[in-house]
Amino acid sequence: RGVFGSHVGNVLRRLCRERFIELRHDSVAFLVENMTPSFATAHAVAEALDALVVRGRKPVTPVLARRALMAAEEALEANS
């Protein structure tokens, strides 16, 4: 996804850090590669991760990242 993908990855990391969610590098790579490249989607993914993860636990795995992406896409579609 080029430069925009790296920006979205940075936004995801920042949004998750604000929620005390640690993203693994492979989880960020999965999300950037598979999500719609928009800041709205990044916010929705961070919100979905916040709902799914227990703060202070292990870093987010790609499996959990996939679940959050699916939830975020459903939420975005419902709000459209």
Side-chain angles (χ1 to χ4, degrees), residues 28-71:
V28 174
F30 168 81
L31 289 167
V32 168
E33 195 62 36
N34 291 285
M35 65 186 265
T36 303
S38 72
F39 295 113
T41 304
H43 281 275
V45 168
E47 287 178 22
L49 283 168
D50 196 28
L52 291 171
V53 78
V54 176
R55 287 188 183 102
R57 287 196 75 199
K58 299 175 188 172
V60 172
T61 63
V63 172
L64 188 58
R66 179 178 293 122
R67 287 178 51 202
L69 180 57
M70 290 170 47

Side-chain angles (χ1 to χ4, degrees), residues 3 10 19 24 27 30 35 38 42 51 55 57 65 73 75 79:
V3 174
N10 290 336
R19 293 169 170 81
R24 286 180 15 176
S27 297
F30 168 81
M35 65 186 265
S38 72
R55 287 188 183 102
R57 287 196 75 199
E73 289 174 343
N79 291 331

